[in-house]
Amino acid sequence: MNKSLSYKILEKNLIKGIVEPGNEVEIKVNQTLTQDSTGTMVYLQLESMNVSKIKTDFSVAYIDHNILQTGFENADDHEFIKSICEKYKIIYSKPGNGICHQINLERFGIPGNVLIGSDSHTPTGGGLGMIAIGTGGLDVAVAMATGKYTMKVPKILNIKLNGKLNKGVSAKDVILYILKILSVKGGVGYIVEYSGEGLKSLSLTDRATITNMGAELGATTSIFPSDDITKEFLIKQNRENDFSYFKADEFAKYDKTIEIDLSELEPMVAMPHSPDNVEKIKNIEKLKVDQVAIGSCTNSSYSDLMKVAKILKGKRVNENVSLVISPGSSNIMKIISDNGALGILIQSGARILEAGCGPCIGMGQAPRNNAISLRTFNRNFQGRCGTKSASVYLVSPETAAISAINGYLTSPLEIEIDLDIKEPRKYEVHNNYFIYPKENNSKKVYMGPNIKPFPLKGKLEDNLSGIVLLKTGDNITTDDIMPSNAKILPYRSNIPKLSGYAFGTIINDFNKRAIKNNGGFVVGGSNYGQGSSREHAALVPLYLGVKAVIAKSFARIHKNNLINVGIIPLVFKNIDDYELINENDEIFIENISEVLNDDILLKINDKEIILKFEGSKRDAEVLKLGGYLNYSIKELKGD
Ligand code: MIC
Ligand code: SF4
């Protein structure tokens, strides 16, 4: 036998199709997760499907992103999600409990399970040996309603890890190094599967740091085998019964293999404004820092925070630095509070936030103008921290802590103390922030005034015409298309309001251009729509009348989101034709639904350009029906 671990799990959950690269398959979904900033849409969509109960083994709704309650909007959204959870028997994780991905590892992740989540960092669960995929919200709503997920089988990229990390070098440096060699597009079309001797020296949460940032590679997901280290973690969490071994066959076949010697790696930093703009710290000239932020779903585990506490013990945060720490979960917060580490952090002068996403999504702690902010997070896109002129650098917790003391970016190789963390034999876990499904549940749904109906497209028109509203460069993120910060995030359930901020990092009048011209087209470069899974980056353009996005290539989740809402993602047959289209050009496509799976002729005045729709027959059907919700409602009715 020569099967990869990923294909074994997909085959175990297979409902329809053959697990071979490029094939479309339908798989059983064991678990789903949502968070609040994508969750309101998910549950509005679930409601409109008219199902009486969910069909996953279990589903969890987390409140972790929009927890800064500066007005009634976020609290109303929380209440809406809570009432939906009661109605559909979904587990509800209250605000303050922590970040969905960290809690999934601790309380719910099961090796060998398939998890679908409405957040791009869902692959964090791959650290536990799950196939954990981040998708748009509608895919999660359908997974809850049907227990199924349809996907194109990715190829497998094997990363073989040899050797052992040196002191001061950590899992974050491993994934930053991988981003340096592969780039933010390097994982597109792949599942990244880790193997090799080096695995033995990586803890469960080290592995989760690595699979988490597989999202930044553009990969469908990343996965580690479940082994004795996984078992030990689940025992500590009082979940031994959830454990089983899963690994690839000895002579597993992979589409591509890369070998990395862990002992050769050095501390790394991702420089502004992209997670793949990576350099060795030793090659960076002295960089004074203004803010240091420790936390996020990438680096907020128990051992991450304990390392930080060890480094800060008896020391003082530099007077020119604001150090802010957001623990990953309430359980971690409690343990570091019980064992005294929290006191050490406070004594050093750190600012402690409640467990949640916090500054990672610009929910507070926006740095000052032109600040240098060092963060243990996973994304450093321009403006995401809430301050457009700030420069965000991504580093490991060790680097962040020593730099907070010194006031400038410092290599953790300079740390003299021992950084080994002895984890407790068992964590004292509590579940008091969860509300579990009740027998006699209420079916009443609470909806605040900020929750507005979402736009829904009708059947696909025969001919598409309009102007090019915007032409962008390469690697445009969903943070560019639909920015997020403390001011805008409360409107995630109010698409009309949100539409005023579309493409806000690039231009400030996209909505006006779109309204004036009755919608139109967007032209993009390569890897268009990388980053977050937010389907708002598709729903808002739909609301503003965007009919198709024409790009050199698309990021996976955003492309699916466009199809799901009914906007056609088209690519240039000849990439150089990108140069032939300009903003304000009038363009015309005839008989679109007939030619979807063929060459598509685009006419601009006297020029003709050939485009392609790179989707399956099913994707074409979805587009013809005006989106995945219309398609799913039809399927659920059995029409
Ligand atoms: C992010 O890290 O960008 C987010 C916020 O978690 C998003 C989800 C969202 O936009 O709500 C993600 O990664 O999918
Ligand atoms: Fe939250 Fe940041 Fe993780 Fe997104 S990347 S889930 S905002 S902590």
Side-chain angles (χ1 to χ4, degrees):
M1 296 287 273
N2 51 13
K3 289 230 163 84
S4 63
L5 165 62
S6 312
Y7 285 4
K8 281 183 168 179
I9 299 179
L10 289 177
E11 280 182 358
K12 180 178 72 59
N13 278 36
L14 191 66
I15 298 172
K16 210 155 89 189
I18 301 171
V19 180
E20 270 173 16
N23 280 359
E24 196 167 76
V25 291
E26 199 173 86
I27 50 170
K28 169 170 170 53
V29 175
N30 302 104
Q31 342 180 346
T32 62
L33 71 76
T34 58
Q35 39 89 338
D36 47 340
S37 69
T38 55
T40 45
M41 254 336 130
V42 175
Y43 296 116
L44 287 172
Q45 289 155 343
L46 181 67
E47 272 280 270
S48 66
M49 282 182 220
N50 258 325
V51 292
S52 55
K53 56 175 193 253
I54 55 162
K55 298 228 173 80
T56 49
D57 300 348
F58 63 89
S59 290
V60 188
Y62 296 89
I63 309 293
D64 53 359
H65 282 63
N66 293 354
I67 52 180
L68 204 63
Q69 291 158 227
T70 51
F72 64 88
E73 292 87 355
N74 289 344
D76 268 5
D77 282 357
H78 302 166
E79 200 55 32
F80 164 66
I81 295 176
K82 180 166 171 270
S83 65
I84 286 279
C85 285
E86 179 149 7
K87 177 170 174 185
Y88 292 98
K89 301 199 171 180
I90 295 165
I91 302 166
Y92 179 74
S93 169
K94 288 165 85 174
N97 197 16
I99 310 171
C100 52
H101 309 304
Q102 178 64 32
I103 301 179
N104 182 271
L105 287 179
E106 293 174 4
R107 309 306 312 136
F108 300 109
I110 300 178
N113 262 9
V114 169
L115 162 72
I116 303 295
S118 67
D119 190 281
S120 64
H121 290 104
T122 304
T124 315
L128 257 181
M130 289 199 271
I131 290 287
I133 304 179
T135 67
L138 187 49
D139 289 301
V140 177
V142 174
M144 282 192 277
T146 63
K148 301 175 200 167
Y149 176 60
T150 304
M151 66 185 284
K152 190 166 150 189
V153 178
K155 292 187 273 186
I156 308 293
L157 163 61
N158 172 225
I159 300 190
K160 195 167 170 212
L161 302 175
N162 303 317
K164 197 169 175 269
L165 291 171
N166 292 318
K167 181 180 161 235
V169 187
S170 76
K172 181 61 153 264
D173 301 305
V174 178
I175 188 64
L176 288 179
Y177 173 77
I178 295 172
L179 272 154
K180 182 179 171 67
I181 54 176
L182 292 181
S183 90
V184 288
K185 304 189 271 206
V188 176
Y190 286 98
I191 294 179
V192 183
E193 201 171 301
Y194 290 88
S195 67
E197 276 297 291
L199 260 52
K200 285 198 198 123
S201 61
L202 295 174
S203 72
L204 194 288
T205 48
D206 286 342
R207 296 170 180 192
T209 295
I210 294 172
T211 56
N212 173 287
M213 282 191 75
E216 276 55 64
L217 293 168
T220 303
T221 187
S222 303
I223 188 167
F224 278 79
S226 64
D227 55 13
D228 291 343
I229 290 174
T230 324
K231 187 172 180 182
E232 200 189 314
F233 177 82
L234 288 174
I235 293 173
K236 283 188 201 312
Q237 295 288 343
N238 252 328
R239 297 203 294 123
E240 193 174 351
N241 293 342
D242 286 339
F243 177 76
S244 24
Y245 290 102
F246 280 94
K247 61 173 188 182
D249 290 333
E250 197 181 340
F251 300 106
K253 277 212 303 231
Y254 300 109
D255 297 284
K256 206 162 139 185
T257 296
I258 296 175
E259 290 206 34
I260 296 176
D261 185 348
L262 295 176
S263 65
E264 284 178 4
L265 298 188
E266 294 181 48
M268 311 294 268
V269 52
M271 297 179 300
H273 297 284
S274 180
D276 64 355
N277 188 14
V278 173
E279 205 28 270
K280 289 181 186 161
I281 293 184
K282 71 173 188 207
N283 294 343
I284 309 274
E285 276 185 27
K286 191 162 176 174
L287 182 75
K288 202 175 150 308
V289 301
D290 305 288
Q291 183 191 50
V292 175
I294 296 175
S296 93
C297 55
T298 330
N299 274 123
S300 59
S301 65
Y302 170 79
S303 54
D304 284 339
L305 298 192
M306 287 305 291
K307 273 190 224 166
V308 171
K310 266 196 161 187
I311 298 166
L312 289 174
K313 189 166 183 188
K315 302 272 180 1
R316 185 178 167 194
V317 173
N318 187 281
E319 59 187 40
N320 297 318
V321 172
S322 169
L323 169 64
V324 52
I325 300 177
S326 38
S329 74
S330 60
N331 268 308
I332 296 173
M333 186 95 144
K334 174 160 187 315
I335 303 166
I336 62 169
S337 147
D338 290 348
N339 72 8
L342 184 62
I344 294 173
L345 300 177
I346 296 172
Q347 202 168 33
S348 75
R351 303 167 69 177
I352 310 295
L353 300 181
E354 69 177 319
C357 297
C360 179
I361 187 58
M363 267 286 169
Q365 308 298 321
R368 70 156 171 82
N369 252 313
N370 301 313
I372 301 290
S373 178
L374 231 56
R375 300 177 161 216
T376 66
F377 305 170
N378 45 32
R379 290 188 171 141
N380 58 348
F381 306 142
Q382 186 164 24
R384 182 178 158 102
C385 64
T387 306
K388 201 167 173 189
S389 62
S391 297
V392 174
Y393 292 72
L394 307 176
V395 294
S396 71
E398 293 89 321
T399 305
I402 181 78
S403 305
I405 298 169
N406 289 348
Y408 56 88
L409 175 62
T410 309
S411 167
L413 298 181
E414 291 180 19
I415 300 170
E416 276 161 10
I417 54 167
D418 167 29
L419 285 179
D420 273 349
I421 301 298
K422 263 220 136 344
E423 301 217 10
R425 213 178 58 79
K426 272 211 166 177
Y427 292 109
E428 236 184 76
V429 288
H430 73 90
N431 291 317
N432 292 338
Y433 287 79
F434 290 112
I435 302 179
Y436 296 98
K438 300 184 178 62
E439 248 342 289
N440 294 317
N441 55 335
S442 153
K443 304 274 190 289
K444 220 166 137 218
V445 171
Y446 172 87
M447 254 203 229
N450 184 45
I451 300 183
K452 302 281 185 255
F454 54 88
L456 196 56
K457 199 170 151 62
K459 284 208 168 110
L460 187 60
E461 327 58 331
D462 284 340
N463 303 323
L464 302 182
S465 64
I467 72 156
V468 176
L469 297 165
L470 174 70
K471 182 176 177 184
T472 76
D474 292 344
N475 293 322
I476 288 299
T477 70
T478 44
D479 276 81
D480 294 316
I481 305 170
M482 196 57 258
S484 272
N485 57 44
K487 198 167 126 208
I488 314 177
L489 268 163
Y491 302 111
R492 281 293 183 93
S493 45
N494 185 343
I495 299 292
K497 177 91 184 177
L498 216 49
S499 68
Y501 301 92
F503 291 98
T505 67
I506 307 172
I507 48 168
N508 52 23
D509 65 343
F510 184 85
N511 64 330
K512 294 207 184 86
R513 289 188 198 183
I515 293 164
K516 185 169 148 222
N517 293 290
N518 261 328
F521 298 82
V522 171
V523 174
S526 61
N527 202 25
Y528 180 86
Q530 66 157 329
S532 151
S533 69
R534 64 191 69 149
E535 64 190 352
H536 305 77
L539 283 167
V540 164
L542 173 72
Y543 177 78
L544 292 172
V546 172
K547 298 164 190 174
V549 178
I550 305 162
K552 289 184 189 167
S553 68
F554 288 90
R556 176 187 64 90
I557 305 181
H558 186 59
K559 179 176 161 188
N560 286 345
N561 283 343
L562 288 172
I563 296 173
N564 282 354
V565 305
I567 297 178
I568 314 174
L570 295 168
V571 291
F572 296 97
K573 192 165 180 188
N574 170 3
I575 246 175
D576 298 335
D577 286 351
Y578 166 84
E579 305 299 339
L580 300 180
I581 309 192
N582 295 308
E583 258 171 41
N584 294 319
D585 278 350
E586 285 259 8
I587 60 183
F588 186 68
I589 302 174
E590 239 169 11
N591 280 334
I592 183 77
S593 52
E594 276 168 40
V595 294
L596 258 186
N597 291 107
D598 222 328
D599 278 355
I600 298 169
L601 197 66
L602 171 95
K603 294 186 184 157
I604 319 176
N605 306 324
D606 51 340
K607 286 173 275 183
E608 287 187 349
I609 293 174
I610 310 229
L611 305 175
K612 285 218 128 337
F613 168 64
E614 291 181 331
S616 65
K617 286 214 174 81
R618 178 176 164 280
D619 292 334
E621 271 319 299
V622 168
L623 283 171
K624 284 181 202 165
L625 287 173
Y628 195 33
L629 191 61
N630 295 337
Y631 178 94
S632 304
I633 292 174
K634 194 162 168 256
E635 290 261 294
L636 281 162
K637 278 200 209 138
D639 295 1

